[in-house]
Amino acid sequence: MRIATYNINGVKARLPRLLEWLEETQPDIACLQEVKSQDEGFPVEEFERAGYGAIWHGQKSFNGVAILAKGTQPVEAQRTLPGDPEDEHARYLEADVFGMRVATIYLPNGNPLPGPKFDYKLAWMKRLYDRAAVLLAAEIPAVLAGDYNVIPHTHDIWAPAAMLDDALRQPESIAAYRALLAQGWTDALATHYPQGGIWTYWDFQAGAWQRDHGFRIDHLLLSPVVADRLASCGVDKEYRGREKASDHAPTWVELTD
DNA sequence: ATGACTGCCTCTGGCAGA
């Protein structure tokens, strides 16, 4: 059972690349972020032709998340992150699929800081903490997969001094991420590659990809029973180097059945 | 270095991203 998360940065612009990745790597579940499409523009027919059922939560111009599942239809469990009825950003979607609860997460970037965008990020992380606690308390086998916009550790970025003023590396952001792990979630890639040096994102600018100036912000958090099934995990780094690539690379876990 | 790219929806330039 392979579960992947992929910030695709525009489902229309990346559709050929996305279908190619599905065909070549055959994930059982794919959590997508930055779909950047309204609900009615989501290319569900193309995914169905590729053998994937899909649910999505779209928004015009930016944000937008989706869950694809091979040969089955994910069953929606939650369309928004609870805790703020005023929040209209399409950043969260939960579904039951293959006996697990799977969430696709597009956590707010939080820049610039200080300011309302950083406050929104931290408030969103508190809401995610509360939601994650509910799932753990219910002992639901769960995976929280997505673009967390948090660089958890110094060894999760190409240079220790890079991005220190950025919302992705603020102590408050990192503390909120660690609080989530302290509940009992397993950061799959951190567990498997404790020495770090694994990147999931490379900026479009300044030749970041060519210089391998990346960092790790796409994470798969596993509930305890799912963590016990973790066989391997990794990043499909090669896709970042293809034509018309997203600035993120697909990140995945392989679970025993 | 107020830099760099890229997608989106178009007020084809401004916003958002990280």
Side-chain angles (χ1 to χ4, degrees), chain A residues 11 17 37 44 56 65 121 171 191 212 241 252:
Chain A
V11 73
R17 195 87 310 154
S37 164
V44 59
W56 59 96
V65 289
K121 176 182 192 142
T191 303
D212 200 28
W252 52 268

Side-chain angles (χ1 to χ4, degrees), chain A residues 12-27:
Chain A
K12 300 180 199 91
R14 314 291 181 206
L15 191 58
R17 195 87 310 154
L18 188 54
L19 293 171
E20 177 183 81
W21 168 72
L22 289 173
E23 170 70 27
E24 292 174 1
T25 71
Q26 294 287 315

